[in-house]
Amino acid sequence: MSQNGNNNKEKLRRKEKMAMQFLKREERMNEMLHSLEPLLEQYQLDEIGIYEEEGVNDLYYMGYTVKKGEHVYMIHQPYVKNESKELALQETQWTIQSEQNESKGYSSLEDVFNQIKG
């Protein structure tokens, strides 16, 4: 296997390990709060806030509620909640929800904001 292939596998393993790191909800929330102003400015949003939703069983969704123009979007990732009520990222893909539809599979916030800027 090529060196590049090995590097990609290692990056994937690190990403998976980070994804299953359990942190308190407040820690996750603080990380997101620090990103609000930069995201607002970078993507020229009208409003941005934190999005949270309890899922079925041990699922929990966190992300952002964004207003751009006349549209409101909920942008989130799924988390798993453990017995201590700590959260770990279940999947790195982002989902965009709006009144009209839901689309999944965005690998970064940049991809998400490129999709909704239109």
Side-chain angles (χ1 to χ4, degrees), residues 64-79:
Y64 303 97
T65 300
V66 172
K67 183 173 185 217
K68 180 134 177 120
E70 297 298 315
H71 301 284
V72 176
Y73 304 93
M74 283 67 67
I75 301 162
H76 58 80
Q77 293 176 303
Y79 288 79

Side-chain angles (χ1 to χ4, degrees), residues 23-38:
L23 296 173
K24 292 180 181 178
R25 179 191 156 277
E26 292 75 19
E27 291 178 70
R28 298 261 181 217
M29 185 72 80
N30 283 336
E31 290 173 6
M32 297 179 82
L33 286 171
H34 290 298
S35 67
L36 293 179
E37 190 67 32

